[in-house]
Amino acid sequence: MAKEIVKKAKLQFMAGQAKPGPALAGVGINMPEFTKAFNDKTRDRGQEPVPVLITVYKDKSFDFKLFTAPTSFKLVQAAKAKKGSSVPNKEVAGTITIAQLKEVAEYKLPDLNTKNIDSAMKQIAGTARQMGIKIEGYDEWLRKETN
């Protein structure tokens, strides 16, 4: 028989650095148990933010699912920028190549609503555009893709 779900919470912590605190207090789980399990599973992911979906059951037990780092984080990292542009259509925050775009898309593929790498690249390119990150050779790649 399936356990009764009481709550689902989507949070984000730095890899290997979750600590008991206000974000976890409202979830209603054993905080030290969660932080130890989360930190053990994410320790190898470096200094990246890790989104996590925590499912809390009626008996106070929980499960959690880890996701890939946010697309914006990966794009800023690839562009070696400090942050995205505050005026994306006028100000360029950084530039990435098609190869870097593909790399980010391959990384994000498990969390996207597609299994097609070209579709994933288009989704990531949309995020890059909204952040003011230019993609070298994207228009040429897109023309080849649509032909």
Side-chain angles (χ1 to χ4, degrees):
M1 186 163 145
K3 295 180 182 181
E4 185 181 337
I5 296 173
V6 176
K7 182 185 245 182
K8 286 189 175 193
K10 191 156 188 181
L11 301 172
Q12 183 170 287
F13 300 100
M14 291 304 283
Q17 298 177 21
K19 297 180 190 111
L24 281 172
V27 178
I29 59 172
N30 180 331
M31 290 188 277
E33 185 182 331
F34 168 78
T35 56
K36 182 180 181 336
F38 176 88
N39 291 341
D40 289 345
K41 283 190 174 185
T42 60
R43 202 167 307 286
D44 63 332
R45 290 179 65 173
Q47 293 292 320
E48 70 179 30
V50 180
V52 59
L53 176 65
I54 305 170
T55 305
V56 184
Y57 301 102
K58 192 170 188 172
D59 65 356
K60 297 289 182 188
S61 63
F62 64 90
D63 289 328
F64 64 93
K65 180 181 179 196
L66 301 175
F67 296 93
T68 56
T71 304
S72 57
F73 174 81
K74 296 305 277 184
L75 287 169
V76 165
Q77 196 177 43
K80 294 179 177 57
K82 289 188 175 146
K83 62 179 188 151
S85 171
S86 54
V87 190
N89 294 332
K90 295 182 179 164
E91 191 178 287
V92 176
T95 305
I96 62 172
T97 63
I98 288 290
Q100 288 173 307
L101 175 67
K102 186 172 184 176
E103 191 177 302
V104 172
E106 287 170 345
Y107 172 81
K108 290 294 295 178
L109 205 54
D111 291 345
L112 297 176
N113 62 356
T114 184
K115 298 296 175 211
N116 181 317
I117 191 66
D118 294 330
S119 296
M121 287 172 70
K122 290 176 186 175
Q123 288 180 32
I124 304 299
T127 303
R129 187 171 31 258
Q130 293 302 314
M131 294 176 64
I133 295 176
K134 189 174 190 252
I135 304 166
E136 290 177 355
Y138 182 72
D139 292 334
E140 294 81 20
W141 175 82
L142 198 55
R143 273 195 288 282
K144 284 185 215 170
E145 181 62 28
T146 53
N147 289 337

